[in-house]
Amino acid sequence: MNDTLERWGSKRAFILAMTGAAVGLGNIWRFPYIAGENGGAAFLLLYIAFVLLLGIPVMMAEILIGRGGRQSPVRSLATLARASQASPRWRYLGLFGALTVFCILSFYSVVSGWSIEFLVASINGTFEGQSPQAIGAGFEAFLANPWLLVFNHSLFLFITMTVVAAGVAKGLERLNNFLMPLLYLLLLVLAGYGASTDGFGPALGWLFLPSFEAITPTVVFHAMGHAFFTLAVGACALMAYGAYMPEEQSLTRAAFAVALLDICVALLAGIAIFSVVFAQGLDPTQGPGLMFVTLPIAFAELPFGSLWLSGFFLLLLLATWTSAINLAEPMVATLTGMGWRRSISTAAVAVSVWLLGVLAALSFSTLGEFRPLWGRNVFELLSSIPPDVFLPLGGLLIAIFAAWVLPESQAVESLGAGSRGYRLWRATLRYISIPLTLVVLVGGVLALG
Ligand code: PFF
């Protein structure tokens, strides 16, 4: 039985859906703060290298498996494993992907909830005329309010799961068509504003002039995790989307286009945010609050600042929405693939993600000192271990499956790059992506303990 008869309406729709999955909090919120904590330019350099050496080839592998199987990740893997005379256990990779997106979506929904709160605050003009100190203190006070955090998390999850319940191809296509271009435009405006501040020069230096002493094993480890996270690779989430990909579309071109766009968005966000950080003498290493504090500060000074800021948070919210839908899809697809109704599967996923998300939300107040592992609280664990460990591990297994298990005859046609292109891609996976991921992952995990 083929349980995903839906298809994206066009090639453009598929690219937009992939970009919608890739571009989100990872680019605009996570990239600046992780880069800030990990040496700026050194991090950026490594992250771009990882996108090229691992991100793009593994992304291609993931979509190829999805398109080859045309079912939920678990069933696509099972079908292709059977056709390749490999172990049926490969299907557990789909379950591991579902576990990964489960953890990611729970904290993702909490942070997206912050955007809802900030959208409302900027519409109300809350930040106008406030000093940077007051804006910083306001953010701290917001985090310390468990009810507000849980409320916004619930709201965000609700709007996400409503689209998922309707079936992603239909729901998303219309949304993506105009949202993504609008987001790019607004980011360009923001970066343009950054360019007009005194912080622009220092921001460019901080982002683009690496000091090589800053490259430590931890920075390498975080950069690899972030490359997977920002491209949405390693959790079988793109595999779930690949199942709806049109037959005639070139996978290689799609992967490169999405990666390029994704990097550009991160760079624009980085330029906009770090310009303000340096112009205002803020701390680039301040962590998850970085974007939520710097942007209101920048806009508090501008004419029509509240209007711009509201527009920005609205688009950010929409970008995270499309990513969250992608995060939810593999879980829902797994359950529907087991014969569950779509509505029931969506509800089950929503409730479980909500519960874990509540624990993440409370980590800023009541549960702040509950640190079950490596001295990290629930939010810190969820926002670091799944991106840094689970995604690369999932990506590694996907790469092994595509490069060593799938026979050439299965893959070559699906890739749409001819047999020379196929060989090049497979060699990149076999001799670069797989060993590199393995080494960085093992090193990083050993350093965790
Ligand atoms: N790529 C998304 C972002 O940058 O916000 C996050 C994400 C989506 C990660 C889907 C993993 C995933 F499977």
Side-chain angles (χ1 to χ4, degrees), residues 18-30 62 97 100-101 104 107-108 226-238 262 319-320 322-328 330 387 391:
M18 296 234 302
T19 329
V23 174
L25 285 179
N27 310 64
I28 301 167
W29 165 74
R30 195 173 192 269
E62 216 183 298
T100 309
V101 285
I104 294 181
F107 88 82
Y108 205 89
H226 188 70
F228 280 101
F229 184 85
T230 189
L231 294 178
V233 166
C236 305
L238 293 181
D262 193 75
T320 64
T322 52
S323 298
I325 291 168
N326 178 246
L327 282 161
L391 288 179

Side-chain angles (χ1 to χ4, degrees), residues 8 14-23 55-68 71-73 76 97 101 227-245 251 254-255 258-259 262 322-323 325-330 391 398:
W8 303 106
F14 179 70
I15 301 261
L16 281 171
M18 296 234 302
T19 329
V23 174
I56 295 176
V58 180
M59 182 193 272
M60 287 163 62
E62 216 183 298
I63 303 168
L64 185 132
I65 296 169
R67 181 155 75 168
Q71 289 162 306
S72 74
S76 291
V101 285
F228 280 101
F229 184 85
T230 189
L231 294 178
V233 166
C236 305
L238 293 181
M239 198 184 286
Y241 274 16
Y244 314 124
M245 185 177 182
L251 211 157
V258 171
D262 193 75
T322 52
S323 298
I325 291 168
N326 178 246
L327 282 161
E329 178 60 17
L391 288 179
I398 290 168

